Amino acid sequence: TELMSGCFIAELTRELHLSACPPSSRHIRAVQCSSYNNQPFMGRLYEWEPFNEVPIEQQCELNCRAIGFRFYVRQSERVIDGTPCGQNETSLCVAGKCTSLGCDEYLGSGRVVDKCGVCGGDNSTCRLVSGVFKHSLSKIGYHKIVEIPEGATKINVTEMVKSRNYLALRSRSGRSIINGNWAIDRPGKYEGAGTMFTYRRPNEISSTAGESFLAEGPTNEILDVYVSKKISLNPKKVTVVGLLVFFFFVCLFSHAVYTTIKICFRYSIFHCVNRLTQVQVSDSLCDSSSRPSPQEEACNLQPCPAFWDIGEWSECSKTCGLGMQHRQVLCRQVYANRTLNVHTSRCRHLERPETASTCQLKICSEWQIRSEWTSCSVPCGLGQRSREVHCVSNVGDFVPDEECNMNLRPNDVENCDMGACAKSWFYTEWGNRCSAECGMGVRTRGVLCLTNQISSLPLEGCGSERPADSQVCNNGPCENRIEWFTGPWSQCSAECGTGTQQRSVVCLMKSNEGFTVMPPYECSSLDKPLRQQSCSLKACGAKWYHTDWSACSKTCEGGFRVREVRCLSDDMLSREGCDVQLKPEEKEDCNPEPCIPLIDENCRDKYFNCNVVVQARLCVYDYYKTTCCASCSRVAHKQSTYRRQS
């Protein structure tokens, strides 16, 4: 006899699959080793094959031996993820470590499959109906084997050994589904009881197995399974149905999902042999009645080991600099070529691969502060100060700001408070009216000393000379008269608020020819009329006042200067009633002429590649300042100009 083995897989999840062994590590490693055949080693090309005689801790290194030589080389610290490792080749290399898998499609969920095949179930959602039919059939016709109840799933009825009989399937309503009414159907798919049955015959499957039909279910009515005994040429011969196996699940809940049951058998095969030579001869030479019955036993009952299933790394969380990337790592196990998720405890014999890792696509450009803060733009009050801030690449070049994280950009401008300012002179525009209608007169303006509260540039304090509040005006000569002559009062010097008005007082001598001006002492005996008096036409309400212009912010290449402008009422309090269209300017440009750097004719570059010195930031050293004087000077001038503009 010869001991043969074969596997019968009952898939109780969704599909029927044949079992398969894990892929050979020799092939996978051989492909990786052969990739180095065209890369010289120590100046010579070799053909490489896997070298597996290494300790377990080195199983996930790519060790390759030169074919025809006695040495081996570690070509890579890690083999490709998923390369089998270990002595039994059931483990996989993941991230350089030899590690080992299914239930609810998620690793680490803590759920396991119960005996009903339900992920996380409590064995209460189904019951298994199974059996083996071994009875002899003496009568011709249909013989009922088993009843399949309504709601059955994962139906499998298989004749484990070929026979001259046929399987048949019929519903309780009397409808024949497979091989009914003494007719033999072709192998194929047949619909019945709400599901699809797959009918197979020996010429389609293993040479030793008989007929079978399978269905996913669930069924919607009761079905009966029969064996049809055909007419034998030998009427005395009794047909034996050998190992007709049937099993199916009856679900208590329609949503239950079942897992895989793997049943393997091995059995003996008998040959007719010569008693003397033990050489196999024709079976006809042996007495068929004395042929031993085949013996079978279960084998390969243990499940395939679980393993870590590793997903692809996600994109790095940052486009530059140190970021994170993640991947899914599941504990999975193979059942009949279908891989399902299982509880992580199944993989406890393997080191769990990392699910997160640091990553860096490139070194980020970074913000650099290239100068100290400038002095405050004003000696008192609120002003501003600035400094140079640049985005600098990892090689030291200035790059566009967009290459740096704008959220992290240091401030290059900030406010500065130099404390309360001294008082400043505020004055209005000159009045348009002269105090005298003829001759010399005056015109006036309002002058006040107020505390400067909102200044951006230096302003004079009130300690300086007070601005004039009156100036001479002349509207032409007047006609003379005798005695003290008073002219009419001039218009009020202020259109609103308190002002002055004047008149001419002269000593005149009247004659027929007219009036002759006399020296004042000629009229000294007469009371001299007042020449000036206060006047007020109406309340001003509000009027614009402003200070002197500040110093220019730059001496060349365009700066600006400012002054403070306020709207004040008659009582010299701040108001908001002034006409905005008449508001004096608070800021104006100044010193627009360009800055002319001094040119030193002796400052020249002594080398042709001084641009490299500038890029390498070597101009800070005296040696390079001298040898690359022109290039370094240009850079220094640009940086100085940039600071002034900031």
Side-chain angles (χ1 to χ4, degrees):
T1 64
E2 294 180 6
L3 186 64
M4 304 294 289
S5 65
C7 285
F8 173 74
I9 302 301
E11 168 59 61
L12 299 176
T13 49
R14 299 190 182 276
E15 299 180 59
L16 176 71
H17 295 286
L18 296 177
S19 62
C21 297
S24 172
S25 63
R26 294 183 179 179
H27 174 70
I28 297 176
R29 289 180 183 268
V31 171
Q32 296 178 63
C33 284
S34 64
S35 66
Y36 292 88
N37 290 351
N38 58 352
Q39 299 183 22
F41 175 74
M42 302 294 288
R44 178 177 175 180
L45 293 177
Y46 295 90
E47 291 185 356
W48 302 95
E49 64 181 0
F51 180 73
N52 299 319
E53 299 175 11
V54 294
I56 185 64
E57 61 269 14
Q58 300 177 14
Q59 284 288 316
C60 289
E61 299 175 356
L62 184 59
N63 294 294
C64 304
R65 177 168 51 194
I67 299 177
F69 297 87
R70 295 183 178 180
F71 67 90
Y72 74 95
V73 176
R74 187 179 71 174
Q75 297 286 15
S76 175
E77 293 184 355
R78 296 181 180 182
V79 293
I80 297 174
D81 284 353
T83 302
C85 57
Q87 295 180 352
N88 55 8
E89 297 189 351
T90 58
S91 300
L92 299 177
C93 289
V94 176
K97 295 183 179 180
C98 194
T99 57
S100 332
L101 164 105
C103 171
D104 61 352
E105 303 299 332
Y106 292 95
L107 291 174
S109 66
R111 294 188 174 187
V112 295
V113 178
D114 67 1
K115 69 179 184 181
C116 295
V118 177
C119 182
D122 59 358
N123 303 322
S124 63
T125 58
C126 67
R127 62 185 179 90
L128 173 65
V129 178
S130 62
V132 179
F133 185 80
K134 294 184 178 181
H135 300 286
S136 299
L137 302 178
S138 58
K139 296 182 180 180
I140 298 173
Y142 290 95
H143 299 266
K144 183 176 177 178
I145 302 301
V146 67
E147 176 184 294
I148 301 177
E150 181 180 354
T153 60
K154 314 302 177 187
I155 302 168
N156 188 322
V157 179
T158 300
E159 195 179 27
M160 295 305 296
V161 178
K162 287 183 181 180
S163 73
R164 296 177 54 82
N165 303 316
Y166 290 96
L167 297 177
L169 185 65
R170 181 186 301 170
S171 70
R172 278 294 172 91
S173 62
R175 175 176 174 263
S176 178
I177 299 174
I178 298 175
N179 294 339
N181 300 321
W182 304 101
I184 307 301
D185 294 322
R186 290 178 175 273
K189 294 185 179 295
Y190 294 87
E191 185 179 1
T195 187
M196 186 69 71
F197 287 86
T198 300
Y199 174 52
R200 295 177 179 173
R201 292 229 286 269
N203 61 340
E204 286 190 337
I205 54 178
S206 169
S207 61
T208 59
E211 295 185 346
S212 68
F213 60 77
L214 305 93
E216 284 294 311
T219 58
N220 58 13
E221 61 178 314
I222 300 174
L223 299 174
D224 291 323
V225 179
Y226 295 87
V227 170
S228 173
K229 183 182 183 301
K230 298 188 296 184
I231 299 176
S232 174
L233 297 177
N234 184 358
K236 297 182 179 180
K237 187 173 182 180
V238 177
T239 302
V240 177
V241 178
L243 290 180
L244 177 61
V245 178
F246 60 86
F247 51 86
F248 47 83
F249 280 88
V250 179
C251 297
L252 305 180
F253 299 96
S254 60
H255 64 271
V257 180
Y258 301 99
T259 186
T260 303
I261 293 179
K262 179 177 181 180
I263 304 175
C264 292
F265 291 90
R266 59 181 180 181
Y267 52 90
S268 55
I269 294 188
F270 300 94
H271 298 286
C272 183
V273 297
N274 187 289
R275 291 181 183 274
L276 299 178
T277 63
Q278 300 298 311
V279 176
Q280 181 178 348
V281 295
S282 173
D283 289 354
S284 62
L285 298 178
C286 289
D287 184 1
S288 60
S289 62
S290 63
R291 180 169 182 157
S293 299
Q295 302 296 319
E296 299 178 353
E297 63 179 10
C299 59
N300 294 339
L301 299 178
Q302 70 280 5
C304 294
F307 62 91
W308 290 114
D309 189 12
I310 304 167
E312 295 292 330
W313 284 110
S314 66
E315 293 184 358
C316 194
S317 61
K318 295 185 178 179
T319 57
C320 66
L322 195 63
M324 292 294 297
Q325 58 184 2
H326 302 272
R327 63 182 177 185
Q328 190 179 41
V329 177
L330 304 175
C331 183
R332 295 167 69 82
Q333 197 162 5
V334 176
Y335 292 95
N337 273 7
R338 183 178 180 188
T339 304
L340 301 176
N341 297 328
V342 294
H343 190 269
T344 53
S345 61
R346 299 279 186 92
C347 297
R348 61 178 176 269
H349 61 293
L350 300 173
E351 182 177 354
R352 181 167 184 166
E354 296 293 335
T355 58
S357 175
T358 57
C359 54
Q360 181 168 312
L361 300 179
K362 66 176 182 177
I363 300 176
C364 285
S365 301
E366 62 178 2
W367 294 110
Q368 288 188 6
I369 299 173
R370 309 290 289 190
S371 70
E372 298 295 331
W373 286 108
T374 62
S375 57
C376 195
S377 59
V378 296
C380 62
L382 293 176
Q384 285 187 332
R385 62 178 186 171
S386 60
R387 63 182 177 183
E388 286 188 55
V389 176
H390 293 287
C391 182
V392 181
S393 70
N394 62 310
V395 295
D397 294 331
F398 289 175
V399 293
D401 287 358
E402 292 74 17
E403 293 195 17
C404 288
N405 188 342
M406 296 302 294
N407 294 328
L408 301 179
R409 190 181 195 278
N411 290 332
D412 58 355
V413 177
E414 70 176 11
N415 294 332
C416 47
D417 188 349
M418 302 300 291
C421 288
K423 295 181 179 180
S424 299
W425 290 112
F426 286 74
Y427 45 85
T428 66
E429 299 295 334
W430 289 106
N432 293 325
R433 295 181 180 178
C434 190
S435 62
E437 295 181 354
C438 60
M440 300 299 291
V442 294
R443 60 178 179 175
T444 61
R445 64 180 178 180
V447 177
L448 293 173
C449 181
L450 299 175
T451 301
N452 185 344
Q453 296 176 349
I454 22 179
S455 176
S456 298
L457 288 176
L459 293 169
E460 298 288 340
C462 289
S464 61
E465 183 178 354
R466 183 182 190 276
D469 60 359
S470 63
Q471 65 179 194
V472 175
C473 55
N474 190 341
N475 286 333
C478 294
E479 295 185 4
N480 297 326
R481 294 190 302 179
I482 299 175
E483 63 186 20
W484 290 115
F485 175 83
T486 59
W489 288 107
S490 66
Q491 295 183 6
C492 192
S493 62
E495 297 178 1
C496 61
T498 302
T500 60
Q501 57 183 173
Q502 298 180 353
R503 63 182 177 180
S504 298
V505 179
V506 293
C507 183
L508 298 179
M509 181 180 288
K510 188 176 182 181
S511 64
N512 294 332
E513 290 82 13
F515 297 92
T516 302
V517 178
M518 302 299 291
Y521 65 84
E522 295 290 341
C523 297
S524 59
S525 59
L526 301 173
D527 292 332
K528 188 175 183 180
L530 294 176
R531 299 185 61 185
Q532 181 173 314
Q533 68 178 11
S534 298
C535 59
S536 178
L537 298 179
K538 63 179 179 178
C540 289
K543 199 170 186 178
W544 291 112
Y545 287 75
H546 61 80
T547 64
D548 281 329
W549 287 109
S550 68
C552 193
S553 62
K554 296 176 65 174
T555 59
C556 58
E557 292 189 350
F560 67 93
R561 61 180 184 175
V562 299
R563 63 181 177 181
E564 191 170 358
V565 178
R566 292 191 195 176
C567 178
L568 301 177
S569 63
D570 292 329
D571 52 1
M572 298 303 145
L573 297 177
S574 294
R575 292 280 301 275
E576 295 182 355
C578 297
D579 187 349
V580 293
Q581 295 183 350
L582 300 178
K583 183 179 180 180
E585 294 294 331
E586 295 178 284
K587 181 178 179 180
E588 69 177 11
D589 296 332
C590 53
N591 296 338
E593 63 277 0
C595 297
I596 303 176
L598 296 177
I599 301 176
D600 186 359
E601 295 295 329
N602 296 321
C603 181
R604 300 179 181 275
D605 288 342
K606 297 180 180 180
Y607 297 116
F608 69 93
N609 60 345
C610 282
N611 61 319
V612 178
V613 172
V614 173
Q615 294 175 358
R617 306 283 195 275
L618 298 177
C619 286
V620 297
Y621 299 101
D622 292 336
Y623 172 77
Y624 291 104
K625 284 183 180 178
T626 302
T627 56
C628 295
C629 181
S631 296
C632 289
S633 296
R634 282 195 297 271
V635 172
H637 176 66
K638 289 180 179 179
Q639 293 177 345
S640 175
T641 301
Y642 180 83
R643 284 194 293 269
R644 290 197 300 271
Q645 292 175 346
S646 300

